[in-house]
Amino acid sequence: MGKQTKISGSHFGGEWTNEKLTIIDDYLKFYTTAMSKQRVKLVYIDAFAGSGQTILPDGTEVDGSALISLQYNFDEYYFIEIDKDRKETLQKRIMDKYPDKISKIHIINDNCNNSLIDILNRLTVYQRGVMFLDPYALELDWNVLEAANKTNVLDVWYLFPLNALVRNLPKDKNYSETTSKKIDKILGTHDWEVALYRESQQLSLFDMDNYERVELGELVDFLSNRLKSVFAYVSPKSRVLKNSKNSPLFILYFMMTNNSPKAIGLGSKVVNQIFEKIDSITKGSK
């Protein structure tokens, strides 16, 4: 991913951005190669497609997941972007770089929750695909994940916005009804209220019950178990992506909707290899 001329509309990414994009790039390369001889139509879905490029902290501009996917042979591409300017910038970049693929591409300017349900409901047993979910914050509704698993034909990468969730969970359990409903939608349950808070050992000033949020590890365990309750397979090698200050920002989950032991075995093996590669690159750069 080399240096390129900057175009207005690019996102600014952190140091974790390259890690995320490398993982997606490697998986799409494996997936399209492995599926090339199968008699099915391949679909790629990018629910937060952005403008197509991201500017890294050093000023380098790199292709985002949408443009990366176009390097590989899918029969259909669905790019969803709610922001009109970003959608139009993405469309221009696609026209410039991949004019030969325009007939295969659907660029949708809409709320991802509305569009995804429609796309997922139209997938058939004669299709296979990869879906990448990279929400900007807490936009993705849980029912989209449930609809994805029902397809039985998708591999799903979900960059869960861990930091955004933590910011919406006050340490003292003092949140608004609006926030509560938002978290219900992203986690698909209200059970989080009991699971993610416990009574504090400290007495309150007014002799009332005090609550405190659980440690980050317990929060991550709750989230992982929620995903496991839906998907046929959730990789135990989920990857925490951090900023330059080593603070967790996201968790990158790999999930499969196909419950075939053979498919799961191959998928998990490849994902482990990709993560090991990233580990070696990360250690080598320190």
Side-chain angles (χ1 to χ4, degrees):
M1 293 182 282
K3 198 160 188 173
Q4 302 173 24
T5 303
K6 294 181 183 179
I7 303 175
S8 61
S10 297
H11 284 142
F12 287 85
E15 295 180 0
W16 48 269
T17 303
N18 251 339
E19 186 173 339
K20 169 192 73 175
L21 293 175
T22 299
I23 290 169
I24 297 303
D25 193 352
D26 283 356
Y27 191 76
L28 294 183
K29 181 179 180 180
F30 151 75
Y31 187 88
T32 50
T33 301
M35 298 297 293
S36 63
K37 295 182 180 180
Q38 301 296 317
R39 298 180 66 180
V40 292
K41 289 189 175 181
L42 298 185
V43 177
Y44 176 77
I45 304 169
D46 199 317
F48 300 85
S51 63
Q53 292 184 324
T54 300
I55 299 173
L56 300 179
D58 65 359
T60 302
E61 190 166 47
V62 298
D63 286 349
S65 53
L67 291 185
I68 286 173
S69 72
L70 290 167
Q71 299 174 33
Y72 301 104
N73 293 323
F74 288 90
D75 297 291
E76 280 190 286
Y77 302 81
Y78 290 91
F79 301 135
I80 306 169
E81 175 52 53
I82 194 170
D83 184 90
K84 184 178 179 182
D85 290 339
R86 287 196 292 255
K87 177 257 183 184
E88 290 179 353
T89 302
L90 173 63
Q91 194 162 358
K92 181 183 183 303
R93 284 170 167 154
I94 290 173
M95 288 289 292
D96 290 344
K97 296 189 71 170
Y98 297 99
D100 57 315
K101 290 195 172 185
I102 293 300
S103 63
K104 299 180 178 182
I105 299 170
H106 310 270
I107 305 179
I108 303 166
N109 182 210
D110 192 13
N111 177 293
C112 71
N113 295 303
N114 299 333
S115 298
L116 279 174
I117 294 295
D118 179 56
I119 294 167
L120 294 171
N121 286 342
R122 287 190 278 114
L123 295 180
T124 73
V125 295
Y126 303 106
Q127 294 171 294
R128 296 290 185 275
V130 177
M131 180 165 69
F132 181 42
L133 304 170
D134 185 5
Y136 304 115
L138 303 180
E139 297 99 342
L140 186 72
D141 291 351
W142 188 263
N143 65 341
V144 171
L145 299 176
E146 293 175 327
N149 188 61
K150 288 177 182 177
T151 68
N152 296 317
V153 300
L154 290 176
D155 290 357
V156 181
W157 287 93
Y158 183 12
L159 190 68
F160 185 86
L162 180 62
N163 184 256
L165 176 61
V166 171
R167 290 200 312 269
N168 279 272
L169 290 170
K171 291 183 178 180
D172 60 0
K173 202 181 179 181
N174 184 24
Y175 45 77
S176 67
E177 183 178 352
T178 300
T179 295
S180 178
K181 289 180 179 178
K182 182 192 296 185
I183 297 173
D184 287 354
K185 279 191 172 185
I186 193 175
L187 296 179
T189 181
H190 193 68
D191 290 350
W192 59 267
E193 186 177 48
V194 174
L196 302 183
Y197 286 95
R198 62 166 61 96
E199 286 193 42
S200 173
Q201 299 302 310
Q202 297 180 352
L203 293 176
S204 72
L205 183 62
F206 302 103
D207 198 28
M208 297 170 63
D209 289 338
N210 259 359
Y211 289 89
E212 59 186 9
R213 191 179 65 214
V214 300
E215 296 295 328
L216 186 64
E218 290 181 66
L219 192 156
V220 171
D221 287 343
F222 176 79
L223 173 60
S224 299
N225 287 331
R226 286 293 299 143
L227 293 170
K228 290 175 184 176
S229 74
V230 173
F231 286 92
Y233 174 76
V234 178
S235 172
K237 296 284 187 177
S238 57
R239 193 169 189 84
V240 177
L241 302 184
K242 302 178 180 181
N243 62 16
S244 57
K245 297 180 181 179
N246 207 37
S247 298
L249 296 180
F250 308 96
I251 306 179
L252 183 58
Y253 284 100
F254 172 73
M255 301 170 292
M256 299 180 70
T257 66
N258 185 342
N259 59 11
S260 159
K262 183 177 180 180
I264 290 173
L266 179 59
S268 62
K269 178 181 178 181
V270 171
V271 168
N272 290 345
Q273 290 173 345
I274 291 173
F275 284 165
E276 287 171 5
K277 170 189 169 181
I278 295 296
D279 284 337
S280 64
I281 292 173
T282 304
K283 291 176 183 176
S285 64
K286 292 181 179 180

